[in-house]
Each structure stands twice: as structure tokens, then as C-alpha cells.
Amino acid sequence: MVKKDVTSDKPERTAEKLLRVAARLFRQHGYAATSTQQLATELGLQKGSLYHHIEKKEELLYLICMDALMHIQLAVEKAIEPISDPGDRLRTLIRAHTCTALDDQDKFATALLDNRELSDENKSTIMELHDYYEGVVQEVIRACQEAGIVRRDTAPRQLTLFLLSMMNFTAFWYRPDGKLTPDDLADQFIQQFLQGAGVPLCDDAPHP
Amino acid sequence: MVKKDVTSDKPERTAEKLLRVAARLFRQHGYAATSTQQLATELGLQKGSLYHHIEKKEELLYLICMDALMHIQLAVEKAIEPISDPGDRLRTLIRAHTCTALDDQDKFATALLDNRELSDENKSTIMELHDYYEGVVQEVIRACQEAGIVRRDTAPRQLTLFLLSMMNFTAFWYRPDGKLTPDDLADQFIQQFLQGAGVPLCDDAPHP
DNA sequence: GTCTATACGCAGATAGAC
DNA sequence: GTCTATCTGCGTATAGAC
């Protein structure tokens, strides 16, 4: 359905702006509740003009989901690739995921909320990517279990879901104008995921 | 906008079924993408007939959000009310929240995903309830900090968001036909939230 | 690449018979 | 409480001028 080449940089400017604005509106009101009219108005265009840039409205949603998923997957894989220590890989993954997700919050939130409104065909494509990425996360966690730094009494898949839940929900409540930077938040996620919120029973005896 | 009395039990059966079916469809396709036609078809009615039970389509969404929030809030408050130990209150809250949310997964997921599509007026009402409930959770966590069983180096509001993120995201991926019961999941949430996924550094020295 | 004009269908909602 | 019939508007998408 989509054959845009992203090789060239400059001539695609309008298309990028379109995606950015669409992501903001979709996140705010939902995909189906956002009309091509609203979209055009925000861009200072007539609604007919949109169809010079896209084939149909759904293409916007598809591109947004694609963009968000690819972005986060590539960022995370690139970040953890040169690292071998399992614990460092996990911490790096959490930081890269958090920062990338918040860097493009509208697209990421839309991808999470509105992917159910894609056509069956597009939905499968997106779901495949999603599952692949989940597998990457799960593998990092599994390696931590093997290395003895993450508990083995819970299935890696469960732990993956817990971690992704915590990080992904952030896209819904995080306000960039608040006090916490994405990096601060990443620190908190790392601590919360690994140590939990409970006070350690025995940290009065620090190890050498 | 809504003046239904929920005092009587039996005569409201159709209305309940309507809400149940609506919640399922809304969750599946989104509120705006679900037509009154689909709704009517699933109920074996003509679309005109729906308007004997509701004033407008949005009323369904409003009632679903209301229902889900009230249900969970009442269940949690009732569960923790007789308990005084802060840690027990937190663990009880997690269990009540998890089980109640999964008991009516469609409504709960719809309330989380589609509340943005409510009219401004209805949205405020729902948000107030939501904030109130968040306050209840936060207070339980704060009490745990005061009692020294939850770390104080993270703000109670942050911890509340982490906990709710983990629990609420469940509504999106949990499958009732899987192996985990809601109770199992609650156990995992309690452990994950308090102890984290990391292996304790010193549990070779159990306390008496 | 943007405009105007328009096709076409389906959405939500109402009225009145049964 | 459900049906049929119908109103009305707005939705997505297209065509052709500039």
C-alpha cells in the first residue's frame, strides 16, 4: 500500500509535517474521530489537497505506527548491540526505549492506542513488527535471568510485559514541561523494575 | 445528561446487555469507529430501536467509563477499609484492583482507551473520578513510605503511576483463557512492585 | 502542489405505526 | 419496546482548473 522512499531528505518536508500533525490530532481525539477537514485546517490547506500527499486517510495511521515502531526498535537495537554485559544491556534498553518513546510521544501513543483501527492487512504488518520487538526485549531479560541477576521464578514473557507496561504507559501521562526529564524517568524505571519499590530487608550490610 | 436509576435490578436487563456489547465493540474497534448499526446488529435490533434505551451514542461511552471507574473504586475502598497495616492495605489494593479490572475487561479497557472521545463536560466528570481514585492509591503508598516499607527516594505520585501503569496495561493483553488467573497475576504484581525483578543481593541470610 | 466543486455513502438521530 | 421510514449533515475520496 505504501511505497514512499525515505532515501531523500529535503523534498519530503510536507509529508513529515503531515505525519506530525496527524499524530498529534489522532492522539488527542482518536483516529476515527479526526476528520480530514480538521487535518487540512491545521495544515492551512483544503481537505482535497491532502490527497496529493496520501492515498487514503488510513495511510497516515499506518505510517505513524510504522514510524514509531521502527524508530524505537532501531534505537534500542543500536544501543544494546555493542554491549555484552547482560545487566548493562537491560539498563541500556530501558533508557533507549524510554527516551525514544518520549522523543516522539504523539506517534508512539497513537501507535499504542489506535493500531486496532488499521485494516486487517496493515494491522498484521504492524503486529509482526511489534512482536519482533517484544522478542528483542524478552531475550535481553532472559539473558539476565541466565546470568543470575534477574529472578527466575517468573517467566521472561511476564517480566517483559511488566516492563513494557510500565514504560509504555508513560506515553499517556508524561508532560515534557514537567520536572522529570526522560533520562530521569529512565533511571526510575531501571530502579523500579530491578529493585522494586520496597525497602530492601538487609541493606544495612553493604557488600564489599 | 444521564438520569438512570440503578435501584431496581430486573427491569434494566436490556440496558445492561447494551452496555456489555458496546464495551466489547468499543474496545475492539474504538468508540468512533463503532456504528450504531453494528451495535444494533449484534443485539438483533434495528438501529432506531437503540434510542429507546439511550439518548445518544455518547451516553454509552459515558456509562461504560463511569461503570468501570466506580466499580473499581468501590471494590478497592471496600477491600482496604477494614485493614490497618499499611503493607497489607497495599497488597489488598493491588489484588482488588487487578481482579476487578479483569472481571470487566472490556469496560475497563474502553474507559482507559476511549475516554478522550467524550464531550468536554462528560470528560471532566470522568477525570474527576479518575483523579480521586488515583489519590486513594497514592495515599496507600504514602502510608507505606511512612511506615518504612516503601522507599522514600521516589515521590508517591511517581510510584502510583508506576503501579497503575503495570496493572492497567494488563487490560490490553490479558486473555481470560490463558493459564494465569487474575489472582496469580495479582501475586506477581505485588512481588514485582515491591521486590522488583532483580535477584536480592543478600537473601542467603533470611531473617527470623 | 493547491484550489474548487462535487460525488456518494453512511453516520447519528427522529417520528409515528404497531 | 421494536419496527420502518426518513431527515440531515458530514465523512472520505475524486476530478479537473490553475
Side-chain angles (χ1 to χ4, degrees):
Chain A
M1 166 178 170
V2 177
K3 309 148 204 158
K4 293 266 185 309
D5 63 309
V6 205
T7 49
S8 51
D9 272 0
K10 299 294 176 190
E12 290 281 54
R13 225 135 7 129
T14 317
E16 276 167 38
K17 190 176 174 188
L18 183 48
L19 280 195
R20 229 190 47 236
V21 172
R24 204 186 71 232
L25 291 176
F26 291 171
R27 180 189 172 197
Q28 217 157 49
H29 310 113
Y31 166 71
T34 303
S35 66
T36 52
Q37 184 59 254
Q38 283 176 265
L39 219 33
T41 303
E42 293 255 341
L43 287 161
L45 295 176
Q46 296 303 311
K47 61 178 176 174
S49 310
L50 294 175
Y51 291 87
H52 178 74
H53 306 279
I54 54 169
E55 212 179 279
K56 22 186 273 196
K57 188 188 166 193
E58 197 203 329
E59 190 182 332
L60 288 171
L61 182 57
Y62 177 72
L63 289 173
I64 287 168
C65 292
M66 202 58 156
D67 220 55
L69 273 178
M70 290 298 290
H71 196 176
I72 211 155
Q73 179 203 310
L74 292 176
V76 165
E77 288 194 320
K78 187 178 167 194
I80 64 175
E81 190 262 343
I83 303 175
S84 56
D85 177 75
D88 285 344
R89 279 170 70 86
L90 177 57
R91 282 181 285 270
T92 302
L93 178 149
I94 292 175
R95 189 175 305 284
H97 181 107
T98 305
C99 293
T100 311
L102 294 183
D103 181 55
D104 211 344
Q105 212 179 340
D106 286 332
K107 281 185 192 165
F108 192 70
T110 298
L112 287 175
L113 288 169
D114 288 341
N115 62 60
R116 63 191 161 156
E117 305 198 30
L118 287 167
S119 69
D120 286 346
E121 194 194 337
N122 283 334
K123 190 155 45 185
S124 322
T125 312
I126 295 297
M127 285 305 166
E128 264 173 52
L129 265 180
H130 181 272
D131 291 348
Y132 171 79
Y133 177 65
E134 210 171 286
V136 171
V137 178
Q138 187 170 322
E139 176 51 28
V140 169
I141 289 179
R142 204 202 46 76
C144 286
Q145 287 184 312
E146 203 161 293
I149 57 176
V150 158
R151 57 195 332 142
R152 288 168 148 120
D153 60 359
T154 306
R157 165 148 170 86
Q158 288 304 315
L159 293 173
T160 302
L161 288 170
F162 294 164
L163 176 58
L164 287 175
S165 298
M166 187 170 63
M167 294 193 296
N168 288 347
F169 226 73
T170 315
F172 304 154
W173 56 261
Y174 182 76
R175 297 283 163 262
D177 48 309
K179 286 178 185 174
L180 283 174
T181 67
D183 256 302
D184 293 338
L185 207 49
D187 287 333
Q188 294 201 348
F189 285 152
I190 290 168
Q191 178 186 294
Q192 177 64 34
F193 181 67
L194 286 170
Q195 269 85 53
V199 169
L201 288 170
C202 52
D203 77 350
D204 44 8
H207 294 241
Chain B
M1 167 178 172
V2 178
K3 309 151 205 156
K4 292 268 186 313
D5 64 310
V6 205
T7 48
S8 48
D9 272 359
K10 300 295 178 190
E12 291 278 55
R13 223 126 20 121
T14 317
E16 274 168 41
K17 189 176 175 188
L18 183 48
L19 281 195
R20 228 189 48 236
V21 172
R24 204 186 70 232
L25 292 176
F26 291 171
R27 180 190 172 197
Q28 215 156 50
H29 311 112
Y31 167 71
T34 303
S35 66
T36 53
Q37 184 59 255
Q38 283 176 267
L39 219 33
T41 304
E42 292 256 341
L43 287 160
L45 294 177
Q46 297 303 310
K47 62 176 176 175
S49 311
L50 294 176
Y51 292 86
H52 178 75
H53 306 280
I54 55 170
E55 213 179 277
K56 21 186 273 193
K57 188 189 168 194
E58 197 203 329
E59 190 181 331
L60 288 172
L61 181 57
Y62 177 72
L63 288 174
I64 287 168
C65 292
M66 201 59 156
D67 220 54
L69 272 177
M70 291 297 291
H71 196 177
I72 211 156
Q73 179 202 310
L74 292 177
V76 165
E77 288 195 318
K78 187 178 168 193
I80 64 175
E81 191 262 344
I83 302 175
S84 55
D85 177 76
D88 285 345
R89 279 170 70 87
L90 178 56
R91 283 181 283 271
T92 302
L93 178 150
I94 292 175
R95 187 174 306 283
H97 182 109
T98 304
C99 293
T100 311
L102 295 182
D103 181 55
D104 210 342
Q105 213 180 338
D106 286 331
K107 281 185 193 167
F108 192 70
T110 298
L112 287 175
L113 289 168
D114 289 341
N115 62 61
R116 64 193 160 154
E117 305 199 31
L118 287 167
S119 69
D120 286 346
E121 195 194 335
N122 283 333
K123 189 154 46 186
S124 320
T125 311
I126 294 298
M127 284 307 165
E128 265 174 53
L129 265 181
H130 180 273
D131 291 349
Y132 171 80
Y133 177 64
E134 210 170 286
V136 171
V137 178
Q138 187 169 321
E139 176 51 28
V140 169
I141 289 179
R142 204 203 47 76
C144 286
Q145 288 183 312
E146 203 161 295
I149 56 176
V150 159
R151 58 194 332 143
R152 287 166 147 122
D153 60 0
T154 307
R157 165 148 170 87
Q158 289 303 316
L159 294 173
T160 302
L161 288 170
F162 296 163
L163 176 59
L164 286 176
S165 297
M166 185 170 65
M167 293 193 298
N168 289 347
F169 226 73
T170 315
F172 304 154
W173 57 260
Y174 182 75
R175 296 285 164 263
D177 47 309
K179 284 177 184 173
L180 282 174
T181 66
D183 256 302
D184 293 338
L185 207 48
D187 287 334
Q188 295 202 346
F189 285 151
I190 291 169
Q191 179 186 295
Q192 177 64 33
F193 181 68
L194 287 170
Q195 267 85 54
V199 169
L201 289 170
C202 53
D203 79 348
D204 43 10
H207 293 241

